[in-house]
Amino acid sequence: MRRVVRGFWGPRQEPVEALAERWSATLDRFARLLPTTGGPGADTPWTWRTAPASGPSQPLRPDGASLLEALRTARAADDWSAGNGTSLRLVADGMPPGWKVEVAGLAGGAPEFLLQSLVATIVSPDDVRLPDADLLAAVAEIWHPDHGDVSDRAVTAALKKEAGFRIGTPSVGWVGFLSPGRADRIPPDAAVPRKELPGVGVLLDIAAPGDTAEVVRVHEALRKAGALDPLLHPMTRPTL
């Protein structure tokens, strides 16, 4: 099964040293949460490789020093990174059959029209149940996004067809995340279990994977209440 775990936010300038700390924490949490070789109890950390838009990939260990070097290399290769954010894409090496883990981020910049983001794409065997809520909580607690979700192509297709969803606007999946300003707009009758992430926002446990009808229902209720309003353009803040 293929799923994406995503967080999005507005402009928030950060030095590459801070980004390296966030990246290292993210890769560590994911390795501990995913039930694969190299996960909980493993003696050695996962290894990764960069996946740049151009040029050869490079092996990388998920420690702060290695990630700082990778981020500096990515920034030096992109003349627009200082304003738009530093882009980095990593793929996990040595995954067992049926697994693929890719994490891509654009962060540290202050563009007025381009969202910053952390997106993890995870492919796993169909019989493996993943801790989707915990994976999204990791993204939320480490990156402090404005909104986020866990979803797949079926969810996106259903939201486009039945709820008028447009790419680039806030949405939810079978798990959703809303920053405090958005969480304040959740209607009382939304009837969705929620978990507070202190100082970060709210995690919404919306539906089981595959239940697109419930995702559409909750998305519509949140949208009508203003909890999924886009950040105003030009953007001036990271969250609603």
Side-chain angles (χ1 to χ4, degrees):
M1 180 178 182
R2 179 186 183 277
R3 63 190 14 89
V4 290
V5 183
R6 311 185 294 182
F8 299 94
W9 61 98
R12 185 173 65 214
Q13 286 191 316
E14 294 182 278
V16 289
E17 291 82 1
L19 298 180
E21 291 179 4
R22 292 188 193 271
W23 267 101
S24 181
T26 303
L27 300 183
D28 179 69
R29 285 275 290 273
F30 274 32
R32 294 178 182 277
L33 288 169
L34 294 174
T36 68
T37 301
D43 294 330
T44 57
W46 285 11
T47 58
W48 299 77
R49 56 183 171 84
T50 60
S54 61
S57 65
Q58 299 291 335
L60 179 144
R61 294 181 65 84
D63 58 75
S66 299
L67 286 160
L68 180 57
E69 181 181 356
L71 287 163
R72 284 174 171 164
T73 299
R75 175 168 287 191
D78 182 2
D79 292 338
W80 298 97
S81 63
N84 289 339
T86 302
S87 177
L88 186 64
R89 185 182 302 271
L90 303 177
V91 178
D93 266 338
M95 290 287 97
W99 284 90
K100 180 179 179 181
V101 181
E102 178 179 294
V103 187
L106 176 69
E112 296 180 332
F113 301 98
L114 178 66
L115 286 171
Q116 307 286 273
S117 63
L118 193 287
V119 179
T121 302
I122 302 169
V123 177
S124 63
D126 291 341
D127 61 347
V128 174
R129 184 174 180 178
L130 296 188
D132 293 320
D134 291 336
L135 291 166
L136 184 56
V139 173
E141 290 170 345
I142 295 168
W143 293 91
H144 292 196
D146 178 52
H147 58 277
D149 60 52
V150 183
S151 63
D152 61 7
R153 292 189 180 100
V155 168
T156 301
L159 290 176
K160 285 181 177 179
K161 181 179 179 180
E162 301 174 38
F165 167 68
R166 294 179 291 107
I167 297 295
T169 59
S171 66
V172 292
W174 59 78
V175 186
F177 168 79
L178 300 177
S179 60
R182 294 185 182 280
D184 288 344
R185 300 184 182 186
I186 298 175
D189 59 353
V192 55
R194 53 192 285 177
K195 176 184 178 181
E196 298 286 341
L197 301 179
V200 177
V202 170
L203 206 65
L204 304 177
D205 186 3
I206 294 171
D211 186 356
T212 58
E214 182 64 4
V215 174
V216 169
R217 183 193 72 79
V218 173
H219 178 93
E220 283 281 74
L222 294 174
R223 183 184 61 79
K224 291 176 181 178
L228 298 179
D229 284 352
L231 291 173
L232 294 178
H233 284 184
M235 295 185 295
T236 59
R237 51 193 293 181
T239 62
L240 188 68

